[in-house]
Amino acid sequence: MIQRSLIILFMTVIAAFLIAPIIIVLGISVNDGRQLYFPPEGFSLHWYQAMATESDWRASIEYSLLIAAVAGLVAVSVALPLAYALWRYGMLYAKILFGFGVTPFMLPPVITALGFMTFWATTGNYGQIENVMIAHGMFLVTLPLMTIALGLESTDRSVVEAARTMGASESTVFRTIILPLIRPYIISGYAFVFVLSLNEYIIAFMVAGFTVETLPIRIFNSLRYGYTPLMAAVAVLFVAIAVVVFGLFARFGNLPRLLGRWEPDK
Amino acid sequence: MAVLNLAGVSKDFGATKAVDDVDLEVPEGQLACFLGPSGCGKTTLLRMIAGLEEPSAGTIRFGEKDVTQQPAHRRGIGMVFQSLALFPHLDVGENIAYGLRIRGTPKQERDNRARELLGLVQMPGVERRHIPQLSGGQRQRVAIARALALDPQVFLLDEPLSALDAKLREEMQVELRMLQQRVGITSILVTHDQREAMTMADMVVVMKDGQVQQVGTPLEIYRRPANVFVAEFIGSSNLLKGEIVAGDRVQVHGHTLRVESMPHGFASGAEITVSVRPEEVGLCSGEETRENGLQGTITFIRDVGQNVEYRIDCSGLEITSNVPPRDKPDVQLGDRVTVELPADACVVLA
Amino acid sequence: MTTARRSWAPIGLLSYPTLMLGVFFLIPFGIMFATSFFERDPIAFYRPAFVFDQYARLATSLFIDHLLFSLYLAVFVSVISIGLAFPFTYLLTRMRLRTQTLWLVFVLSVLSLSEVIVGFSWSMLLSRTAGLSNVLVWLGILEEAVAWAPSFGAVVVGYLYLTLPYTVLILYPPLSRIDPELTEAARTLGASPLRAFFNVVIPSTRTPIIASMILVFVFTLGVFLIPNLLGRPRHWTLSVLITDQAVYQSNPPFAAALAVFLLATSAALILITLWLSRRKRVATT
């Protein structure tokens, strides 16, 4: 019994630690005045309205969403053929390429950030929005690579051969069998990139931080040059997006499996 | 439908020969079983016939046509996979009609064909069910229907029944065999279960280490095994080491036995093995003098219902005898008995 | 493989990923590597050259101090992270699947929080005006509200907040694979649940623990904003210095040298991780 209460206490403390900043941000975002107070002074949702009306914040939200959406596409477009080629043909070259794809995410992001910064400084294309899209896509390509590889691994290989014996060409097999089977894994890979790109700071900052102010950059800048509850409101928006996306995974997919839980029955 | 012909077919994986120089002809409409322990090359050989694996040497013909260089999807085969490989995202009807859909067959026609095939495998009216809703036996039938949907020339089955439990498996063996005869399609079944091979095959191809050991009807293989491996792998057998004395006499463990047929090419003094099936071994109580009779003591008795198994120690040589319950002799553990190895049941092997 | 010998499919499939990874991974890293040998040019960022000046600068005591601090902080934080995340994740994997899923949504959401937001909200939580100390005053534990940030403790708390969900997700796959019968066997042999945890669960997962610790260590090296927002300049880590050199000091060559150094350190650690996990696989098969 004591053991059980200790366990509950431990889990509660961890949960409280993880949720505390979110509650603070939520509280600040409903402050009535310009000052940052917690507990909030007065209650108002006008900071949430301000996200849409204050043009520079709105621009940042739009930048961030656009970058995240395109970065997801970039990442999936690279990950899908690579993971499929590795699974289908198992070549050493594909393995090496897969290794390259997994590396950036495991390294400190500042390295990738500086790499891209020097790259675009050299090619003379510094400060463009597409830099951020590509940089995020390539930095986060690890995630769809992992999810798609996981999806392919759980696919019975003889399904491909069965389709082949029934007259399907390689591309028909891919289109009619593989793609429908791994669609959930592709979508979750995309969603991971989307959410993490929204929240990424250092790469976006070093690649185009002075011209394309994404939301994290704008929040950081306003931390230095004058706080406003607006940033808390934006942070709440981001948390909400993450909860909704991962909640959808949980609702329509098998989240524990996606995160590597071993399933004894399969 | 066509004759299937293999000539000098080999497959190397690096230094190992998975399939070594196989020649084989399966007559039209017959069912051949590739039988052997795991790793004997039977599945690799099947996959080469399917076009899923490329032979390192040799030719494969369907009828007059050389298909060796043709990819799987142009060969006109239907295949049932060990895992069944049903498409989990398609329903039963779509699974069966997949090949037709790729060929651009109109929907109406595809539906008709699916219905027809489901009738053939005795599962009418389940077109719109999904795969996870089906039982093991039903999935089996769907996989078979799907493999037959394109009217293949050759029907290939890679241990298709291995996932079923023992009872259902026996039922499906009979049903599948009847279906194959009804359709009259040249078929190949890969299995490691000799009972399954005996039940279903017109011809059995016993394989070991990539090489064909023996080809024959189930009964031939059983009665006249070509070598020690086949004798041991198919059913059980008393294998007695000895040597040829002269003519039709062999000497085994100090006893001289007469054998009915002596294979050619053996000189006196050659070392051989005599194989006698346990059910051919006669058993009577007491010590009697008979042709090919050996005296011994009973060391073990096991009554499994359909027959009674006796193990007899004949001064160091262990002989097993299976007797039908009706003919059970009146003997106990430890009794002295005489076993008889009939001359026409003694098969001499190299 | 299915008639793969004659097929052009793999080449077609891999040409686009090769192009993208080549242009946007290998070339940027190559350029960065090259830049680390360049000379600084106050006007044009840098001047191509082949000098070891930047690497020589790494040996100065200021950077050695920062390096040692970075490593010390990373070790400190990753040890605490594993210490907290391990029992947490273990308990999580023993819960009902539904409960697990809810926790995972929560953990993932926290993990995806921007460092900026994390730094900002912890600076609030630890501040004098809006922070936790006000709650303690209200409870009568403290006399008056105090500022806990910036400080080393604040930096550690901020780091832990970032690393904890990451560590949980790294530990989740290996811990979910532990056979429940293992602890049950220990229980039938007379071990209490806590004893079974220490005697059976922890030893049987030593390799994933070490691997996770290294991954968390590398992750920690990459944290950039927390020392900025919750610490003082002496708490700056290599990541902060790299950004500072590249952006504010306009010295890409030196930033690149620092980055190459950081890269080498991280890569060595990742290779050790891979080697460890491979050795484990060999041992189990």
Side-chain angles (χ1 to χ4, degrees), chain B residues 58-90:
Chain B
T59 51
I60 299 169
R61 274 173 219 284
F62 291 177
E64 293 300 301
K65 203 162 133 217
D66 183 348
V67 297
T68 317
Q69 294 303 317
Q70 275 191 324
H73 61 284
R74 303 234 177 79
R75 284 197 187 186
I77 52 147
M79 182 153 169
V80 178
F81 290 79
Q82 186 168 14
S83 69
L84 301 186
L86 294 171
F87 306 132
H89 60 298
L90 302 179

Side-chain angles (χ1 to χ4, degrees), chain A residues 54-113:
Chain A
E54 287 203 18
S55 62
D56 43 356
W57 281 91
R58 210 176 117 177
S60 288
I61 293 177
E62 283 167 5
Y63 276 146
S64 279
L65 289 174
L66 183 65
I67 289 169
V70 177
L73 287 180
V74 170
V76 167
S77 74
V78 174
L80 182 59
L82 177 50
Y84 182 65
L86 180 60
W87 178 76
R88 182 83 177 89
Y89 304 101
M91 303 137 74
L92 180 66
Y93 176 64
K95 241 175 246 172
I96 293 169
L97 218 51
F98 195 91
F100 281 147
V102 176
T103 310
F105 191 68
M106 281 164 68
L107 295 172
V110 68
I111 295 176
T112 306

Side-chain angles (χ1 to χ4, degrees), chain B residues 31-56:
Chain B
L31 188 147
C33 260
F34 291 176
L35 177 64
S38 57
C40 71
K42 57 190 192 295
T43 295
T44 307
L45 186 57
L46 184 85
R47 290 171 59 81
M48 286 193 283
I49 296 169
L52 296 171
E53 209 82 65
E54 211 162 337
S56 310

Side-chain angles (χ1 to χ4, degrees), chain C residues 21 24 27 36 74 82 110-111 131 133 138 154-156 166 190 201 206 224 226 228 232 246 249 251 269 271-272 275:
Chain C
L21 285 166
F24 297 116
I27 294 183
S36 71
I82 299 273
V110 170
L111 177 67
S133 62
W138 183 74
V155 172
V156 170
Y166 183 73
V201 176
R206 199 165 37 198
F224 157 73
I226 297 296
N228 238 327
R232 300 175 195 284
Q249 314 291 328
N251 191 355
L269 288 167
L271 286 178
I272 292 173
W275 178 71

Side-chain angles (χ1 to χ4, degrees), chain C:
Chain C
M1 292 295 131
T2 313
T3 55
R5 206 188 62 186
R6 289 185 300 262
S7 174
W8 291 90
I11 296 163
L13 279 170
L14 288 174
S15 55
Y16 172 70
T18 303
L19 182 78
M20 291 297 279
L21 285 166
V23 174
F24 297 116
F25 172 65
L26 288 182
I27 294 183
F29 275 68
I31 292 178
M32 184 180 77
F33 191 67
T35 308
S36 71
F37 296 102
F38 288 178
E39 282 171 337
R40 187 183 174 199
D41 184 329
I43 301 144
F45 271 168
Y46 52 75
R47 192 169 39 233
F50 186 73
V51 293
F52 288 91
D53 297 9
Q54 313 304 340
Y55 287 97
R57 242 183 108 188
L58 286 177
T60 59
S61 70
L62 176 68
F63 289 104
I64 289 178
D65 283 350
H66 279 294
L67 169 69
L68 289 179
F69 177 74
S70 297
L71 296 177
Y72 162 67
L73 183 65
V75 170
F76 188 65
V77 168
S78 34
V79 169
I80 301 180
S81 263
I82 299 273
L84 289 174
F86 190 92
F88 173 81
T89 314
Y90 177 73
L91 293 170
L92 179 65
T93 58
R94 305 293 108 166
M95 290 177 175
R96 283 184 312 144
L97 212 55
R98 243 188 111 68
T99 324
Q100 282 187 43
T101 309
L102 288 176
W103 269 104
L104 288 173
V105 171
F106 178 50
V107 169
L108 273 173
S109 305
V110 170
L111 177 67
S112 67
L113 275 184
S114 180
E115 258 191 83
V116 181
I117 298 174
V118 172
F120 155 64
S121 53
W122 277 105
S123 69
M124 285 285 124
L125 268 168
L126 300 175
S127 73
R128 195 172 53 78
T129 49
L132 278 176
S133 62
N134 294 293
V135 180
L136 297 186
V137 171
W138 183 74
L139 288 173
I141 296 171
L142 276 185
E143 279 291 311
E144 57 180 308
V146 287
W148 281 321
S151 68
F152 178 70
V155 172
V156 170
V157 168
Y159 264 76
L160 277 180
Y161 189 83
L162 293 174
T163 54
L164 197 60
Y166 183 73
T167 317
V168 169
L169 291 180
I170 292 178
L171 285 172
Y172 184 72
L175 290 191
S176 73
R177 279 174 176 81
I178 296 178
D179 186 352
E181 287 184 1
L182 211 61
T183 48
E184 281 165 11
R187 301 281 309 274
T188 61
L189 297 172
S192 70
L194 208 60
R195 255 189 105 89
F197 180 75
F198 281 107
N199 289 349
V200 177
V201 176
I202 292 186
S204 70
T205 47
R206 199 165 37 198
T207 318
I209 290 178
I210 295 170
S212 310
M213 194 145 355
I214 292 171
L215 286 177
V216 175
F217 181 84
V218 174
F219 179 83
T220 311
L221 285 179
V223 174
F224 157 73
L225 283 166
I226 297 296
N228 238 327
L229 295 172
L230 297 175
R232 300 175 195 284
R234 71 186 141 90
H235 301 135
W236 283 12
T237 58
L238 277 186
S239 284
V240 184
L241 283 182
I242 293 171
T243 321
D244 185 55
Q245 289 294 331
V247 180
Y248 301 106
Q249 314 291 328
S250 301
N251 191 355
F254 185 52
L258 280 169
V260 168
F261 181 76
L262 183 60
L263 175 69
T265 313
S266 314
L269 288 167
I270 290 170
L271 286 178
I272 292 173
T273 316
L274 294 177
W275 178 71
L276 276 175
S277 58
R278 171 156 316 169
R279 216 177 48 159
K280 185 199 87 188
R281 221 174 302 148
V282 170
T284 51
T285 47

